[in-house]
Amino acid sequence: MQRSEQSAADALYSPVRGDDPTVDRVDAAKRELSSEGIEVNGALSIDCLKPTKEFEDLTAEDPDRSFHSQLHYFETLLSYGQNQDPRVTMLMVNAYHNSNQQAHGIAFFERLLERYGEGFTDDVRAVYLSAYAILRATHAERVPLVKRIPWVLKTFQHLEESRRLTGGTHPIVRWAAGQIYAQVPFFFGKRSQAYEDLTWLVERPETEPVFGFYREVYRQLARLYERDGHQEKADHFWHHSGYQSYVPKAMFMGWFTSTNVAGASMAPEPVLEEIIPGSIFALYGFGFSDIYFVLSTDGTGLIAVDAGTQPHSLKAAHEFLLQKHPSLPTVTHVFVTHAHWDHIGGHSYFRNLNPDVIFYGRDNYQAVVDRVVRNHSYRQFRGQDFDHHWVETYAPDIAVSDVTVVEVAGTKIELVPVTGGETEDAMLVHLPDLQTVFAGDIVMPWYGEPWVNEGYPDDAVSSMDEVLSRRPKHILHGHHPLTALYGHEQLKAFRQHYCWLVDMVRVHVKNGFSAKDIIRLNLIPHGLQHQPENYLSYLAARDNVIARTADQMVGIWQEDRTGQDPQGLDALTPAEFGRMLQHYLGLTAAQAATTIRKMIANGDNELALKIAIAAEQRFGSTQVLTDLKEEAGDRLRSAIQFFDPFRFVTYTEMIGQEHLPIKGVKRIESAQAQFELGASSNPTMKPHSL
């Protein structure tokens, strides 16, 4: 198979092809739009999923309610009552919490439980009740004082009902109870129960539903011990939480880390997972990307897929693997899925380890390397010691331009060159005997690094087809969140929804809509409401697909649907916003702080962060302004802590902080053991895949 010669620029206005019947609806919409146009108020004749009638009043547009894309998405889909996935439920709670929209969430969950609760299993109902209790608890300070104690006591009843439904063994139920009981005033008498719930989780690390979920467990135990005068134990748990130098002003239960020295990672601690026990090994938490090793069929060679972010992080990953499997042979072959910095930055380690190692990679890698070699403003992506030389010196020993089959120590490997959604030099690594495809970043949700002009929206479809046509049991992506989101069945469904979305974006952009306008339309394809297992895979990509597709269709100026908010015409910076605060609005630093505090209270976190930065530059840094900037940034980080490492790192650096790894038990796990745990404890949950 030859690589497609169509460039990103050539593909801008060509339709994405798919087998989804919704494509007929897209074509009809295009004809309608071309003949009738689009109203300035944004009304469209394009049919996409809306909330059910029972929830219309709770989801209606409100100009006083801050906009949060995830919330609109979850409210629409969950109104159909088909979600039984605790990941979705907890992410929705997280979105309500970070946007300070607990009142909206409480009303939504009450109606959801009233409408659908009788049809839920005990486990599902317990998770919904626990989520509802979290919203009630975090809203309690807004309840009038005379009603507050009964409100809190009722919240406790919901928690204990959740405990009864699950026999006290569900980790999310214990987690919610521990979080709430640890933070209520002492006179409620819940301190000992908080210790019990949180300690139960610490003593059972295997129950952690996703990497990093117990970070908040460590935080709350540290606070409890500190309040009770046990500083040594408190320090122990602060150390485990990663909050020993900075305690965030929001709730974090996700897997990202971001540090000045090591850079960013999509795992909060080092993890070794055996995808196929004794055969395929995945290592997370060693740089920005995952690292894979495969023991050859005859046991004489070790095959690597990708070469990590830095030489030292790749070395640490390899040594971590050898601690568990010291008899593994040396690395003899390396297959590079694409030449982004986080997949080739450590290649020199393999060269030094074995001078005879053979690298396979695409023939057209150089353009990708050239785009990588740049100095970013944000240093926590790659780490402060990242050296361009690590990337510039990469070159495959065997350049692949056509489908190639090789055999390494008895292991048959098919190399399939594709133009991936992210880069033009993508290469699928297919091991047919192991029913495994290493997909690299062909469906990385940003379809190119966000800071770089790249990405191939149309070619992403053909790349998905190449993977799906091989019917693999395991699709292993370059980052484990993608592996969790885009397995075979999920990828097949996502392909159809993706085709619909790209076509919808192009229709809107051609009719004067900006990416921001389109994101606010909450585009959801019909049929997705019946596929709760695909809710997260579509959401993870949706807004990024909109932004990338729109960006490739516009110039240096970008119009919007109203004509009143074009992008690219002005050169406004925080200096102008700071001058607005002081000179034009007549605010002092204290008054500006009050304004920012109101923004956060109403969930306008992006606006709050922007104004806080402007206020600091104008009035100088004060503790109050710094605290508010950090809170706005923390809420933004928390809101995307499972979906967007790029935003996560950017916000982390904007507030001048780090997000350190958890100092927990270094994990060495098998996929089979995780599956059995998930099946026995909660059949609706996929361990480590939020």
Side-chain angles (χ1 to χ4, degrees):
M1 185 196 76
Q2 296 289 339
R3 180 181 68 88
S4 169
E5 295 300 325
Q6 184 184 44
S7 69
D10 295 331
L12 294 185
Y13 294 96
S14 61
V16 172
R17 300 300 179 189
D19 300 325
D20 189 354
T22 57
V23 172
D24 294 335
R25 186 165 59 249
V26 174
D27 292 337
K30 288 180 180 178
R31 289 193 295 272
E32 186 170 354
L33 289 168
S34 63
S35 61
E36 299 182 5
I38 298 179
E39 298 294 331
V40 173
N41 65 9
L44 284 179
S45 299
I46 292 181
D47 186 19
C48 66
L49 190 69
K50 303 297 181 185
T52 61
K53 289 184 178 180
E54 295 98 324
F55 289 81
E56 283 180 348
D57 61 315
L58 297 181
T59 58
E61 186 173 344
D62 180 355
D64 291 328
R65 184 185 181 189
S66 58
F67 174 79
H68 299 272
S69 177
Q70 288 183 26
L71 271 183
H72 288 282
Y73 179 82
F74 286 135
E75 287 176 343
T76 297
L77 286 172
L78 267 68
S79 73
Y80 289 84
Q82 298 199 27
N83 173 63
Q84 298 189 13
D85 188 340
R87 304 173 301 170
V88 173
T89 307
M90 294 304 293
L91 285 169
M92 190 176 190
V93 168
N94 187 56
Y96 279 127
H97 180 263
N98 284 302
S99 62
N100 271 323
Q101 293 188 20
Q102 288 93 334
H104 287 277
I106 290 167
F108 189 93
F109 272 77
E110 286 176 348
R111 189 165 302 178
L112 186 73
L113 287 165
E114 178 184 358
R115 173 68 177 81
Y116 301 111
E118 292 301 319
F120 292 151
T121 66
D122 285 350
D123 274 2
V124 171
R125 183 173 177 83
V127 170
Y128 273 118
L129 283 172
S130 296
Y132 175 55
I134 292 172
L135 293 174
R136 288 179 58 94
T138 55
H139 182 67
E141 64 181 13
R142 300 178 183 89
V143 175
L145 192 58
V146 295
K147 299 180 179 179
R148 192 171 301 170
I149 289 180
W151 176 275
V152 173
L153 294 176
K154 184 66 174 177
T155 301
F156 294 165
Q157 291 177 18
H158 293 307
L159 289 171
E160 295 312 313
E161 173 64 7
S162 299
R163 193 190 305 274
R164 184 193 67 78
L165 288 170
T166 57
T169 62
H170 197 296
I172 290 181
V173 172
R174 299 293 291 254
W175 185 91
Q179 296 297 310
I180 294 171
Y181 291 157
Q183 297 180 69
V184 296
F186 72 93
F187 53 78
F188 284 106
K190 292 296 184 180
R191 185 72 59 88
S192 62
Q193 185 63 58
Y195 273 117
E196 180 182 329
D197 285 324
L198 297 171
T199 302
W200 187 92
L201 295 169
V202 169
E203 292 176 348
R204 295 166 178 81
E206 73 281 359
T207 65
E208 187 178 38
V210 296
F211 297 140
F213 196 72
Y214 287 175
R215 191 188 286 270
E216 290 296 320
V217 173
Y218 302 141
R219 186 216 291 244
Q220 296 306 330
L221 278 172
R223 293 179 63 186
L224 286 173
Y225 280 120
E226 202 163 60
R227 290 173 183 171
D228 289 344
H230 303 293
Q231 193 59 48
E232 185 175 348
K233 289 185 177 180
D235 291 342
H236 169 79
F237 284 107
W238 283 127
H239 181 71
H240 275 278
S241 71
Y243 295 154
Q244 58 266 42
S245 60
Y246 173 70
V247 181
K249 301 170 178 64
M251 181 170 60
F252 286 91
M253 50 188 179
W255 41 44
F256 298 151
T257 65
S258 183
T259 68
N260 293 324
V261 175
S265 171
M266 296 194 200
E269 57 183 320
V271 178
L272 165 60
E273 180 179 346
E274 298 190 29
I275 307 299
I276 298 178
S279 183
I280 297 181
F281 310 94
L283 290 117
Y284 318 134
F286 298 91
F288 197 63
S289 67
D290 298 344
I291 301 164
Y292 295 101
F293 294 93
V294 180
L295 181 62
S296 66
T297 301
D298 68 7
T300 64
L302 191 61
I303 301 161
V305 179
D306 286 333
T309 305
Q310 310 107 342
H312 54 79
S313 61
L314 178 58
K315 179 176 185 289
H318 186 217
E319 291 177 347
F320 189 65
L321 171 64
L322 293 177
Q323 289 177 19
K324 174 65 174 178
H325 298 279
S327 62
L328 285 174
T330 189
V331 176
T332 59
H333 294 74
V334 181
F335 296 90
V336 174
T337 62
H338 63 297
H340 263 171
W341 54 272
D342 53 323
H343 296 261
I344 63 171
H347 76 92
S348 62
Y349 168 72
F350 283 143
R351 297 282 191 192
N352 293 330
L353 184 71
N354 177 12
D356 296 324
V357 69
I358 299 174
F359 275 77
Y360 286 77
R362 285 296 306 280
D363 58 326
N364 58 341
Y365 71 93
Q366 190 60 55
V368 180
V369 171
D370 291 342
R371 292 198 299 269
V372 164
V373 180
R374 58 190 297 166
N375 293 312
H376 287 287
S377 300
Y378 304 103
R379 308 302 296 273
Q380 290 186 17
F381 287 108
R382 305 177 181 181
Q384 64 185 17
D385 66 343
F386 190 86
D387 191 336
H388 286 159
H389 183 71
W390 298 341
V391 174
E392 292 171 322
T393 54
Y394 165 76
D397 299 300
I398 298 179
V400 178
S401 58
D402 297 298
V403 173
T404 303
V405 177
V406 299
E407 186 172 308
V408 176
T411 301
K412 180 182 176 182
I413 303 173
E414 181 192 27
L415 306 176
V416 185
V418 295
T419 299
E422 188 174 62
T423 67
E424 65 271 33
D425 74 326
M427 184 175 75
L428 306 177
V429 181
H430 177 214
L431 279 61
D433 294 339
L434 296 177
Q435 297 179 276
T436 299
V437 171
F438 295 93
D441 290 349
I442 63 165
V443 289
M444 188 73 161
W446 300 268
Y447 293 86
E449 186 177 337
W451 307 112
V452 178
N453 184 21
E454 59 184 359
Y456 298 82
D458 291 283
D459 293 288
V461 179
S462 59
S463 298
M464 288 184 245
D465 289 341
E466 290 287 356
V467 173
L468 293 170
S469 68
R470 285 156 176 81
R471 301 183 181 278
K473 180 179 180 181
H474 306 286
I475 302 176
L476 303 179
H477 299 264
H479 307 270
H480 74 89
L482 304 184
T483 300
L485 291 173
Y486 301 105
H488 185 273
E489 293 305 311
Q490 295 162 303
L491 187 63
K492 186 164 61 173
F494 173 74
R495 177 196 182 279
Q496 304 303 328
H497 303 321
Y498 173 87
C499 291
W500 177 87
L501 177 63
V502 173
D503 280 335
M504 289 296 95
V505 174
R506 286 175 174 160
V507 169
H508 284 80
V509 173
K510 288 180 182 180
N511 286 275
F513 277 59
S514 69
K516 291 190 293 186
D517 293 332
I518 300 170
I519 287 172
R520 287 173 177 265
L521 294 176
N522 192 31
L523 293 177
I524 303 174
H526 283 279
L528 184 58
Q529 72 270 31
H530 304 305
Q531 304 169 8
E533 68 278 8
N534 297 316
Y535 287 0
L536 297 182
S537 58
Y538 180 76
L539 176 61
R542 184 185 65 170
D543 291 358
N544 298 303
V545 171
I546 292 171
R548 180 67 75 179
T549 305
D551 179 71
Q552 292 188 346
M553 294 180 65
V554 299
I556 58 174
W557 290 358
Q558 302 175 31
E559 58 186 329
D560 75 305
R561 65 185 177 89
T562 67
Q564 300 298 304
D565 187 30
Q567 302 297 305
L569 275 68
D570 59 56
L572 295 176
T573 70
E576 283 71 39
F577 288 107
R579 190 161 60 248
M580 175 190 71
L581 293 173
Q582 186 175 39
H583 279 328
Y584 304 131
L585 298 179
L587 301 183
T588 65
Q591 291 169 327
T594 299
T595 300
I596 297 165
R597 194 173 289 110
K598 289 180 180 178
M599 293 174 182
I600 295 173
N602 196 48
D604 283 311
N605 299 319
E606 292 165 322
L607 182 62
L609 180 60
K610 185 180 289 290
I611 298 302
I613 290 172
E616 273 197 331
Q617 293 187 13
R618 187 69 189 178
F619 299 111
S621 180
T622 68
Q623 191 60 53
V624 172
L625 287 175
T626 297
D627 287 345
L628 289 169
K629 181 179 74 172
E630 290 174 347
E631 181 175 357
D634 283 342
R635 287 179 179 274
L636 289 167
R637 292 194 303 158
S638 179
I640 46 82
Q641 63 184 306
F642 294 104
F643 289 114
D644 198 329
F646 293 101
R647 277 191 174 92
F648 189 93
V649 173
T650 301
Y651 290 138
T652 300
E653 292 206 49
M654 287 176 72
I655 64 174
Q657 296 296 340
E658 298 179 272
H659 199 64
L660 301 179
I662 291 175
K663 299 294 192 283
V665 177
K666 292 187 176 182
R667 298 176 182 272
I668 300 176
E669 304 172 338
S670 74
Q672 182 63 27
Q674 290 185 32
F675 176 81
E676 290 170 354
L677 168 65
S680 62
S681 63
N682 187 348
T684 69
M685 192 159 214
K686 294 182 180 178
H688 306 305
S689 56
L690 186 56

